[in-house]
Amino acid sequence: MVKEWNVGTLSSGLTADVDEDTLIIGRDDQLRRFATSTGELTPFDEVPAMTDGERINDLGRSPDGALWVATMDGRGERPTGRLLRRTPDGAWLTVLRGVPIVNGPAFDARRDCGYVCDSVGRRVLRFPTPPITSTSCEAATTFLELGVRDGSPDGIAVDDTGDLWVAQYGGSRATRFTADGRVAQVIAMPDVNVTSVAIGEDTLFLTTARHSPPRGASQSGGVYALPHDTATARSLP
């Protein structure tokens, strides 16, 4: 059974709270708690020092329980996007700044590192996950770069082996990369704008966004499921 909730316009980013019945949702510069059992949406926190036009774009959780917030310039032009960490006690740390659109992050617990996307620059960056008590973080370095025809890195996820899955917006595909940056698997998608990837127990879930090509019919986007032992994605209702 599929459930649907209206959580408002410009809502972006989604991650589980400590309570599995509760989700954290980003909306503009606000973080909100959403109870799936009741549909109640309540304030949680504000992202500090937001600049004009900056908004929340993506959310994630590191293995130590910290909440991570990726932001972007509303037009995707000015380098005002940031990656921030919020510890369970409410302390904020800015880990990355100076790119227009930040997507991710995703974390490799085995290697104690995180990945994040500079979507406009078509780069995936890697950084050491800072200790929960740390007030600073080592600079992120480029893990991989995508070519123009490959699209832009959007949503990402790390699987149990430490491989990184990258949804490629404008690239009609999702790609699995090993920890040393080699291509391990490519999944061709029927939609152009692949936006997010999530890993279930035995299923890979992919989402796509609306696309209006110069000629021909537009694609509305959707949700797809890919069994791990196959290479064919099927659309979910």
Side-chain angles (χ1 to χ4, degrees):
M1 180 177 66
V2 177
K3 291 185 177 181
E4 181 178 344
W5 299 279
N6 182 358
V7 294
T9 59
L10 281 182
S11 295
S12 57
L14 181 72
T15 189
D17 200 356
V18 177
D19 177 2
E20 293 184 358
D21 175 55
T22 307
L23 303 175
I24 301 295
I25 296 174
R27 184 177 176 186
D28 215 0
D29 65 342
Q30 305 280 329
L31 294 168
R32 290 177 167 84
R33 276 196 178 102
F34 178 74
T36 58
S37 59
T38 64
E40 184 181 12
L41 196 65
T42 56
F44 175 61
D45 203 352
E46 292 184 6
V47 178
M50 294 285 273
T51 59
D52 183 42
E54 183 184 3
R55 67 172 178 83
I56 296 171
N57 186 49
D58 212 344
L59 300 175
R61 285 266 182 203
S62 50
D64 58 13
L67 174 67
W68 291 72
V69 180
T71 73
M72 63 173 284
D73 171 53
R75 294 179 178 271
E77 299 171 351
R78 298 181 303 164
T80 57
R82 296 178 294 162
L83 177 66
L84 306 96
R85 183 193 69 176
R86 184 189 186 278
T87 57
D89 62 359
W92 288 90
L93 170 66
T94 299
V95 174
L96 174 71
R97 64 173 76 242
V99 297
I101 300 176
V102 181
N103 270 296
F107 295 91
D108 182 348
R110 291 185 180 184
R111 297 171 179 83
D112 201 24
C113 68
Y115 297 91
V116 67
C117 299
D118 167 12
S119 295
V120 173
R122 298 194 301 276
R123 300 183 301 159
V124 178
L125 309 175
R126 181 163 59 187
F127 58 92
T129 307
I132 196 72
T133 57
S134 178
T135 57
S136 63
C137 181
E138 292 184 35
T141 58
T142 299
F143 172 65
L144 62 89
E145 295 183 74
L146 299 180
V148 175
R149 295 184 179 180
D150 298 326
S152 299
D154 201 329
I156 54 177
V158 175
D159 64 23
D160 289 341
T161 70
D163 287 353
L164 178 71
W165 292 83
V166 180
Q168 292 165 239
Y169 190 95
S172 302
R173 75 193 77 165
T175 303
R176 177 166 61 94
F177 296 91
T178 61
D180 58 2
R182 293 179 293 109
V183 174
Q185 184 179 358
V186 177
I187 299 172
M189 295 292 292
D191 295 345
V192 174
N193 295 328
V194 187
T195 55
S196 187
V197 54
I199 300 168
E201 184 174 350
D202 57 3
T203 304
L204 188 73
F205 297 95
L206 298 160
T207 62
T208 63
R210 183 175 181 176
H211 174 68
S212 298
R215 299 188 182 125
S218 65
Q219 297 174 353
S220 60
V223 181
Y224 295 82
L226 175 73
H228 283 180
D229 59 352
T230 73
T232 303
R234 60 182 175 85
S235 177
L236 296 181

